[in-house]
Amino acid sequence: GAGSGLLLSRIAPRVEAYWGTDLSEEAIRTLRGQVAGTPGLAGRVELSARPADDVDGLPAGFFDTIVINSVAQYFPGVDYLLDVLGKAVGLLAPGGSVFLGDVRHLRLLAALRAGIETHRRPSGDPATAEAVRRAVQWEGELLVDPDLFTACRAALPGVTTVDVRVKRGRFHNELTRYRYDVVLRTTAPVDTPPADERPWHTVGGLTGLAEQLAAATAPIRLTGLPNARLTDDVAALHALEAGPDPASGRLAVDPENLHRIAGEHGWQAEVTWAANARDGRLDAVLTPAGVRPPQAYRAGDTEPDPARYANRPVPFRDANALMTAVRAYARSWLPDYMVPSAFVPLDRLPMTTAGKLDRAALPAPDFAALTTGGAARDAREEVLCALYAEVLGLPEVGVDDVFFALGGDSIVSIQ
């Protein structure tokens, strides 16, 4: 995934050789022109256009580090991901590592969608829970449970340790909240000192942690830390599933504060996900400087079936965009009065016990999901959009939205 060369520009001047690949012929052609015009890079950089699973002609046993950054979400499935990783490991020199960056977290998808849908709809909207369920079912990108990399180790021969890392960053956004990095190492395993395990609720927060670090000499493993980055989204999901969570946000910690406290005491912190948690809880290993840390991530499942640890991406990126395309297709063939007022995507057809279509169980059209949100450009358009939203019963209508595509009809238009 060499892309526009952001990593190449930083890494290539510092290494003996840099090989970059990308699916896009245009991206590689552009990079070649940039490399040719940069003194010191000629003869050091090799570039080729190829899919991720094509390693023909790449030197086996050659690379110290292979970076696969922010492209795994576009892979067609988990088997393809494991195939790519297995081939990448085969290209490593002894002791080399594969860095897999920006992996989307499967167990947190429901919380992500709950946060999005809750902000898009009025409080208490009964359609929100169904919208979350539907968004999870119609996810178009590949999401992976961190347990995949330990449970399916047999598919990665030569890998000795797996390092799963919560992303660094002070800003709370989709990247820092819902993605993580993985380092697959082929170095020989070494003994590490055992860590003193301490549940987070017994530590006394960051103040208590600082006091304990000042007195400790052995590594400390903290378990079950509520993730402050996800407090609002997790609370939204809990409210949809079981009502408000009275413990929401209690003792939550920003991962960056763990790194800060550790650094102030001359320690290092490794922050990772807690196994089997749907709320993004964290584990962390803190180690004195100069001491090799034990592996931070502890898998919660070891069933060697890759399908357990990833979703099956739908073959399109956006169900609403698909519905818009279907409507446009229908309008190209039918007069306007025959175009259905709503198109509803279903991941499955509801059936009765007799094996017939259960029409009563068909979901109502979610017109709120179809609004574009295009902003009004002046006060008159603001009034007009507000009137349209009121008669359609929607939280908002954008200036580019189509009245009839949002459930409007001749009767509603009279209002």
Side-chain angles (χ1 to χ4, degrees), residues 182-225:
V182 182
V183 181
L184 308 175
R185 305 184 191 277
T186 63
T187 51
V190 297
D191 292 333
T192 56
D196 180 12
E197 187 162 324
R198 305 177 185 181
W200 179 244
H201 68 272
T202 67
V203 172
L206 294 174
T207 301
L209 176 61
E211 295 172 352
Q212 294 183 31
L213 290 181
T217 57
I220 297 174
R221 177 183 291 275
L222 304 173
T223 61
L225 292 81

Side-chain angles (χ1 to χ4, degrees), residues 355-371:
K356 305 294 185 180
L357 177 66
D358 187 354
R359 296 179 179 274
L362 289 171
D366 182 11
F367 294 112
L370 300 178
T371 59

Side-chain angles (χ1 to χ4, degrees), residues 48-391:
S48 61
R50 61 178 73 213
D53 63 338
D54 179 7
V55 298
D56 290 346
L58 299 180
F62 177 73
F63 299 100
D64 295 314
T65 302
I66 295 177
V67 176
I68 306 172
N69 193 56
S70 203
V71 294
Q73 65 268 29
Y74 305 123
F75 288 175
V78 66
D79 291 331
Y80 183 90
L81 171 62
L82 289 174
D83 181 49
V84 169
L85 292 176
K87 290 176 177 177
V89 171
L91 301 176
L92 292 175
S97 301
V98 173
F99 176 89
L100 181 66
D102 279 355
V103 184
R104 294 188 62 190
H105 198 317
L106 177 66
R107 290 197 304 265
L108 302 184
L109 178 57
L112 169 63
R113 300 308 312 189
I116 293 172
E117 297 297 336
T118 299
H119 280 85
R120 290 179 55 235
R121 300 165 184 274
S123 177
D125 187 337
T128 302
E130 173 59 23
V132 170
R133 188 201 67 80
R134 187 169 59 247
V136 170
Q137 291 290 335
W138 290 90
E139 174 60 51
E141 294 185 353
L142 180 66
L143 287 84
V144 180
D145 188 315
D147 279 359
L148 171 76
F149 305 100
T150 53
C152 299
R153 185 80 64 84
L156 305 170
V159 172
T160 56
T161 57
V162 176
D163 183 8
V164 177
R165 302 178 175 181
V166 170
K167 294 191 74 68
R168 299 292 305 270
R170 277 289 178 188
F171 292 102
H172 293 184
N173 51 42
E174 191 268 339
L175 284 174
T176 58
R177 288 171 174 167
Y178 291 103
R179 304 197 187 203
Y180 60 96
D181 302 327
V182 182
V183 181
L184 308 175
R185 305 184 191 277
T186 63
T187 51
V190 297
D191 292 333
T192 56
D196 180 12
E197 187 162 324
R198 305 177 185 181
W200 179 244
H201 68 272
T202 67
V203 172
L206 294 174
T207 301
L209 176 61
E211 295 172 352
Q212 294 183 31
L213 290 181
T217 57
I220 297 174
R221 177 183 291 275
L222 304 173
T223 61
L225 292 81
N227 188 343
R229 293 172 174 173
L230 301 182
T231 298
D232 291 343
D233 291 354
V234 169
L237 177 62
H238 199 282
L240 292 175
E241 294 181 340
D245 181 6
S248 177
R250 188 178 302 168
L251 299 178
V253 61
D254 188 316
E256 285 301 307
N257 285 333
L258 298 175
H259 290 282
R260 175 181 60 81
I261 294 292
E264 291 174 353
H265 290 80
W267 288 48
Q268 57 185 338
E270 299 285 343
V271 184
T272 190
W273 304 105
N276 294 332
R278 294 179 65 237
D279 59 1
R281 286 179 182 267
L282 306 169
D283 286 353
V285 172
L286 287 78
T287 313
V291 176
R292 189 179 183 90
Q295 182 170 319
Y297 186 74
R298 296 192 298 194
D301 197 351
T302 57
E303 179 67 33
D305 176 11
R308 291 172 56 95
Y309 306 107
N311 66 323
R312 182 181 179 182
V314 298
F316 46 83
R317 294 289 175 228
D318 185 343
N320 291 332
L322 176 65
M323 295 301 98
T324 300
V326 171
R327 172 178 292 279
Y329 180 78
R331 293 191 67 178
S332 71
W333 284 90
L334 301 171
D336 284 348
Y337 70 89
M338 292 185 67
V339 176
S341 61
F343 293 83
V344 180
L346 297 176
D347 56 276
R348 65 182 183 275
L349 293 175
M351 308 298 288
T352 66
T353 55
K356 305 294 185 180
L357 177 66
D358 187 354
R359 296 179 179 274
L362 289 171
D366 182 11
F367 294 112
L370 300 178
T371 59
T372 63
R377 292 160 292 191
D378 54 40
R380 181 172 297 183
E381 288 190 352
E382 287 182 4
V383 172
L384 186 61
C385 287
L387 289 172
Y388 269 63
E390 181 178 346
V391 297

